[in-house]
Amino acid sequence: QQPRSVVPMVPAQGLAVPGPLSRSPSARSQVSRVPQAPTAPQGGICSKSTGASALAAVLALRAGRLRNPRVPPLVHASASTSASNSASASASASSAALVGPRLRMLPNILTSLRLVAIAPMVLLFYVPCSWAPGATSAVFAAAALTDWLDGYLARRWRVSSAFGAFFDPVADKLIVGAALVLLPTSSSPREAWLLALPAVILTLREIFVSALREWMATAGQRETVKVGWTGKCKTAGLMVAIILLLATSREGLQSPVFRCGVAILHVSTLLATTSCLSYLRSAWPCLAKGIDS
């Protein structure tokens, strides 16, 4: 009896042929002679659609619109933020390297000029001339500008010093206190209380907050009563109010600029009281421990 003829099966690429076909040398030779479908080289373009997509990807990459889909948007945002921070840090470091030793003293010089400006401001306030109020206001405005400028330059050039850290708030308090003392003296008794009452509250507040910060510094918790946004808004409003009030000190409530200055002064006083209570609430646990001990 004749054996059945076995039809050789063409195996798929990478698969083993079971049975005697895989063990027969002639069958293996037949399988090896079966033509295989041509494969595209690795990394090559196999079709027009693939070529079009590759071209679109290249164009998108050139246009800057190609993003890695595996990376979430938050990673892109954090990467851009870190890149901008590093760029700004390198720019500030390069600018600090270009600053000479004499120019590094400029922030401290500006702080000292605020102390020096107190005497001209007081003298100009009582000069019997029509231009004196404007000149007094200009001197105070220049001093207020140096308050922002010296801090900006110190951070930009990285030249912060112990002298500047101590005298910067002291100079602010001295020139503001001098202006608050001067303002009620040029007004009538009916208007003087509008200026004297905020002056008293602000002076007491500054003395109390300074003492509180000194106490917290001795306890090692000065950061607990660091300046917040309420205190910064208070300082900005107070500077604007004093500039307006000095410029119109001899006109009184008849001037709308003077009335606007009085309103800003009272709002600044309210902010000062609020910030003082906030500092006291933050420091109260440490103060309570001091009272118990």
Side-chain angles (χ1 to χ4, degrees), residues 181-214:
V181 171
L182 291 176
L183 285 172
T185 60
S186 64
S187 303
S188 62
R190 187 174 62 89
E191 302 172 354
W193 73 273
L194 293 174
L195 303 174
L197 183 61
V200 171
I201 295 175
L202 290 171
T203 303
L204 295 178
R205 183 260 184 197
E206 293 299 331
I207 295 174
F208 177 78
V209 171
S210 298
L212 182 63
R213 286 176 176 153
E214 185 67 23

Side-chain angles (χ1 to χ4, degrees), residues 121 134-147 175 239 242-243 246:
M121 183 184 69
T136 307
S137 179
V139 171
F140 185 86
L145 181 61
T146 61
D147 183 24
I175 194 169
M239 295 292 185
I242 292 176
I243 291 173
L246 288 176

Side-chain angles (χ1 to χ4, degrees), residues 140 230-245 260-261 263-269 271:
F140 185 86
T230 307
K232 293 180 179 179
C233 293
K234 179 268 302 180
T235 302
L238 189 59
M239 295 292 185
V240 173
I242 292 176
I243 291 173
L244 298 178
L245 292 173
C260 181
I264 298 176
L265 178 63
H266 283 261
V267 172
S268 300
T269 305
L271 291 176

Side-chain angles (χ1 to χ4, degrees), residues 11-290:
Q13 185 179 3
L15 297 179
V17 180
L21 183 61
S22 61
R23 296 190 292 270
S24 174
S26 61
R28 286 198 297 268
S29 63
Q30 291 178 3
V31 171
S32 63
R33 289 195 297 271
V34 174
Q36 298 180 359
T39 58
Q42 186 176 3
I45 299 176
C46 302
S47 62
K48 294 182 179 180
S49 60
T50 307
S53 61
L55 180 59
V58 171
L59 293 177
L61 181 60
R62 290 183 177 180
R65 296 188 298 268
L66 185 63
R67 288 188 178 181
N68 189 359
R70 297 181 181 179
V71 181
L74 182 59
V75 176
H76 288 290
S78 61
S80 60
T81 304
S82 61
S84 61
N85 292 337
S86 62
S88 61
S90 61
S92 61
S94 60
S95 62
L98 296 176
V99 177
R102 293 185 179 180
L103 201 57
R104 288 173 177 268
M105 295 298 297
L106 183 58
N108 291 336
I109 294 174
L110 293 175
T111 302
S112 302
L113 286 178
R114 285 204 302 279
L115 297 173
V116 177
I118 296 176
M121 183 184 69
V122 175
L123 295 177
L124 289 172
F125 187 81
Y126 292 107
V127 171
C129 298
S130 58
W131 51 265
T136 307
S137 179
V139 171
F140 185 86
L145 181 61
T146 61
D147 183 24
W148 168 82
L149 185 59
D150 60 359
Y152 172 78
L153 293 179
R155 291 187 300 269
R156 180 74 175 179
W157 296 342
R158 298 182 179 182
V159 290
S160 300
S161 62
F163 175 85
F166 173 74
F167 273 98
D168 184 71
V170 171
D172 295 342
K173 290 175 175 58
L174 290 179
I175 194 169
V176 169
L180 291 175
V181 171
L182 291 176
L183 285 172
T185 60
S186 64
S187 303
S188 62
R190 187 174 62 89
E191 302 172 354
W193 73 273
L194 293 174
L195 303 174
L197 183 61
V200 171
I201 295 175
L202 290 171
T203 303
L204 295 178
R205 183 260 184 197
E206 293 299 331
I207 295 174
F208 177 78
V209 171
S210 298
L212 182 63
R213 286 176 176 153
E214 185 67 23
W215 168 270
M216 297 301 291
T218 57
Q221 299 183 11
R222 185 178 179 84
E223 292 296 323
T224 308
V225 289
K226 64 180 181 180
V227 180
W229 283 106
T230 307
K232 293 180 179 179
C233 293
K234 179 268 302 180
T235 302
L238 189 59
M239 295 292 185
V240 173
I242 292 176
I243 291 173
L244 298 178
L245 292 173
L246 288 176
T248 56
S249 58
R250 297 181 185 179
E251 301 178 17
L253 291 175
Q254 297 178 357
S255 172
V257 178
F258 186 87
R259 293 196 296 269
C260 181
V262 170
I264 298 176
L265 178 63
H266 283 261
V267 172
S268 300
T269 305
L270 180 61
L271 291 176
T273 306
T274 303
S275 63
C276 180
L277 294 177
S278 176
Y279 298 151
L280 180 60
R281 183 171 60 253
S282 300
W284 181 251
C286 183
L287 292 175
K289 292 180 180 179

